[in-house]
Amino acid sequence: MLVIDEYLAVRVLGGNWPADLPDDDLALPASRHWRLLQRIHNPAGGQLSELLASLPQSDLSVVRFPHPEILQILDPRPLLDVAAQIAGRHHAGGLLIAETLAAGLAHGHQLWFGLERNIGPTLTTIAGQLDISVHLADRRP
């Protein structure tokens, strides 16, 4: 199972599977799905709102309620204790990063992102310390 970020999730749900993304089950941490839902219901003009606005209106329901055979939303409960440990020990900076790293630990020690600027130095550093590989999906359609 591959843990992905919300930007990559929108691409995949919109039918744009990156060429270098392995053919595997995809999972999105709950806090990242929450970010998508927030921007669907209250666009704020940022990059996530713009990405969602590029989808046809009919695709927004696919983002709101993704089919589990395409994208699974991870249950946060089994991840919260490890996320809290990561946040405390590594100063992860909040639930979004800590839960993402905990999901990476629990699901294959790798994380996949859709935009380089969303990886960030904190996540990169902690991922390296936890032996989690960080990947940027190919931008080509």
Side-chain angles (χ1 to χ4, degrees):
M1 178 176 292
L2 302 176
V3 177
I4 64 174
D5 77 336
E6 61 275 30
Y7 296 87
L8 192 49
V10 171
R11 285 175 58 192
V12 168
L13 291 170
N16 184 9
W17 191 283
D20 61 340
L21 185 65
D23 185 15
D24 201 348
D25 291 336
L26 301 179
L28 184 66
S31 58
R32 291 187 178 275
H33 190 228
W34 169 253
R35 285 174 41 86
L36 287 172
L37 296 173
Q38 285 181 299
R39 296 294 65 96
I40 286 172
H41 297 294
N42 187 21
Q47 63 183 0
L48 195 51
S49 295
E50 290 174 14
L51 180 61
L52 290 165
S54 72
L55 294 176
Q57 190 66 27
S58 60
D59 283 356
L60 291 181
S61 65
V62 175
V63 174
R64 290 177 61 209
F65 307 105
H67 194 287
E69 289 183 10
I70 298 171
L71 177 66
Q72 298 175 37
I73 305 303
L74 294 174
D75 182 349
R77 295 169 297 175
L79 301 173
L80 285 178
D81 186 60
V82 174
Q85 288 175 27
I86 291 169
R89 288 184 185 150
H90 300 277
H91 308 287
L95 180 61
L96 183 71
I97 292 174
E99 181 190 25
T100 300
L101 290 163
L105 280 176
H107 299 283
H109 285 259
Q110 58 180 315
L111 299 170
W112 285 82
F113 290 84
L115 292 175
E116 185 172 13
R117 68 182 180 187
N118 294 324
I119 297 171
T122 299
L123 186 135
T124 301
T125 299
I126 298 169
Q129 294 169 356
L130 297 173
D131 196 30
I132 298 171
S133 60
V134 177
H135 304 273
L136 179 63
D138 188 344
R139 300 277 309 158
R140 291 175 290 166

